[in-house]
Amino acid sequence: MAFVFALVFPMDRAFSDTSILYERVQANAAPYYNVAYLPLAELFAKVFGSSLGLERALTTFSALCIGGGVALTARLARRLGLGTLAIATSSLLLAAAPATLFFGGVIEVHGLQFLGAILAINIAWSARSTRGQEAWLRLGIAALLALVTHLSHLLLLPGLVLLAWRQGTGQAGDQEQASPDNIRVTTGCYFGRRGLPFLVIFLVAGTIATVSLIGTGYDTWSKWPSLQWLSTLILFGRMFLDGLLERGFYSLDESGLYLVHELLFPLGLVTAGFLCGIMALRSRLNGSEPVLRIFAARALVATIPALVILPQGGVLERGGYFMSMAPLLALLIAVALHTAWSAARTQSRRSLLLASCTALVAIQANLALSARSDFRAAAPDARVWAMEVAQQLRPGDKIFVSDLARNLALTMATEGVYVRDLKRDLDLVPRRLRSNTAKRRLVERLQDKAFPGDLWLDKALLPGLRLGDLTQADTTWPEDWRNTLLRLIKLYPDLPLNLVETPSGFSLIKIQFRPDASTEL
């Protein structure tokens, strides 16, 4: 059902990395840093591309990943012993989440990320029912699957270890099994006395290797393309830490607003999983089901690294980076519903619970379809925009665009033109630094001798701007950086400003460059 739902409602729009993924699959290009995507997408395109067309085939691949991810979430819920209503409701809430429906309908890596996350979670949890080397092998497979499906799963690794870890000798839980001699045997991953030296060796070797690799240039790894994902992981980690040291932390209110836009809105009612998990820990679960308490506690803890670290990255991706968390939250909802159903002894209470679940699924689906409509209405396809804008540009020009999809599409549609996503540059710094960052980027480009042509601005950076506003300060925006950007471009009286429209009505601001004009503020 999730697969069909995503397949029936494609976005028909480029988003974020769509253009580069499409081009790389089409050209059988070198490995991508999310290493599993290209081989799997290329294989799918070879099988179905001739009948569906490449774009439709890759969109179908995204939908299939979403459908598979929801199915694996339901499978784990069944392994936990949850009831039919709990599994059905949580699965439908997950399938109908705005982000799930969105990434099932676009060419992007987040569908595979979603599938890889729940597959790794299933394997890690299954390690608790095995012993010794087999338990560690399953955990290793889970960790590898997580990392090759998306690099952000580095934040999921502590949760995978926790899910696979033993509960403790002599404590209740499904990790303890009775041997034929009635001797209790501890299963799952753990380090006994004999394993401690290996743990120490592993940590020391890992630390030395990481420090060594951090000092290795990214280009060095291009000699071994199959390791590009590892070099990118190190590069991204270093960029993140350098960024924190340079710009400082986002404030609590900015981090909270980030979670609203990237977690609450994209996942919708699935975010109730946090509350459901806490309730499951506090409620009196059936005495024969201590495993539910164990899972609820570990699933909640597994979400903490992403909740803490991702808001400090500032990347806006319509909830893409939180797709890995969605299955855990859906499972926590299932645990809470299972508990509620068990506590509802009368038929009337169960009927009320069933009606409530149906209403919640309907609300979630409405949220998803509304978000889809808003996205489609907000802007044309970035590739269509790029093809028209490219006709206005000449080699040596430079342009600031308003999102990554336009950035990549225009980069691939032009030659000799400098293209930069100014909006993302500003999202990646705290609010207090955005005006200065906008000023620095503008001055850098005006003084850029490598690209001495005109400077263009995607009008979406200054929405609602009219031609008269280029000489008069009529328009203001809630975001200070937009006001600063408009004020700055007016400070160059020797550089003529024009509002240019393409044949389809796409608007650009053109700052005509003159070699004799001053570019100093």
Side-chain angles (χ1 to χ4, degrees), residues 394-461:
R394 299 172 301 173
D397 284 356
K398 47 257 184 178
I399 181 171
F400 288 132
V401 299
S402 58
D403 62 53
L404 183 59
R406 290 187 173 188
N407 183 32
L408 294 175
L410 188 57
T411 299
M412 300 173 73
T414 56
E415 290 187 10
V417 175
Y418 180 93
V419 185
R420 187 165 189 120
D421 181 2
L422 181 62
K423 178 64 167 57
R424 175 160 288 208
D425 281 350
L426 301 177
D427 288 337
L428 295 178
V429 297
R431 191 185 304 122
R432 66 184 183 275
L433 302 177
R434 288 175 186 169
S435 292
N436 285 335
T437 302
K439 174 182 176 180
R440 186 169 66 251
R441 293 286 183 264
L442 181 65
V443 173
E444 287 172 353
R445 295 287 68 79
L446 287 174
Q447 298 178 351
D448 188 354
K449 295 181 180 179
F451 295 88
D454 299 330
L455 175 61
W456 300 74
L457 278 74
D458 179 357
K459 188 172 171 288
L461 292 168

Side-chain angles (χ1 to χ4, degrees), residues 288-309:
S288 63
E289 299 174 317
V291 66
L292 297 184
R293 281 185 183 272
I294 297 169
F295 180 83
R298 297 185 180 191
L300 278 174
V301 174
T303 65
I304 292 176
L307 289 174
V308 172
I309 294 176

Side-chain angles (χ1 to χ4, degrees), residues 27-41:
N28 294 315
Y32 188 55
Y33 57 81
N34 290 315
V35 66
Y37 182 85
L38 281 184
L40 294 176

Side-chain angles (χ1 to χ4, degrees), residues 436-509:
N436 285 335
T437 302
K439 174 182 176 180
R440 186 169 66 251
R441 293 286 183 264
L442 181 65
V443 173
E444 287 172 353
R445 295 287 68 79
L446 287 174
Q447 298 178 351
D448 188 354
K449 295 181 180 179
F451 295 88
D454 299 330
L455 175 61
W456 300 74
L457 278 74
D458 179 357
K459 188 172 171 288
L461 292 168
L462 300 172
L465 186 73
R466 301 181 299 274
L467 181 61
D469 296 326
L470 293 175
T471 56
Q472 302 173 3
D474 301 74
T475 305
T476 58
W477 295 272
E479 303 94 338
D480 288 339
W481 68 264
R482 298 187 196 272
N483 301 313
T484 299
L485 186 60
L486 179 58
R487 185 173 67 253
L488 288 173
I489 63 178
K490 293 178 182 179
L491 292 178
Y492 293 98
D494 296 334
L495 300 178
L497 301 175
N498 296 289
L499 201 58
V500 178
E501 286 197 357
T502 70
S504 297
F506 305 144
S507 299
L508 300 165
I509 300 169

Side-chain angles (χ1 to χ4, degrees), residues 285-357:
L285 293 173
N286 188 296
S288 63
E289 299 174 317
V291 66
L292 297 184
R293 281 185 183 272
I294 297 169
F295 180 83
R298 297 185 180 191
L300 278 174
V301 174
T303 65
I304 292 176
L307 289 174
V308 172
I309 294 176
L310 289 179
Q312 294 303 320
V315 179
L316 298 175
E317 192 79 354
R318 295 186 68 91
Y321 289 103
F322 288 97
M323 288 293 287
S324 309
M325 186 186 297
L328 290 172
L329 297 178
L331 288 165
L332 290 172
I333 292 175
V335 170
L337 288 175
H338 176 81
T339 305
W341 182 265
S342 299
R345 301 296 183 183
T346 64
Q347 185 61 39
S348 59
R349 289 185 178 181
R350 291 194 168 185
S351 298
L352 179 61
L353 183 59
L354 179 60
S356 300
C357 291

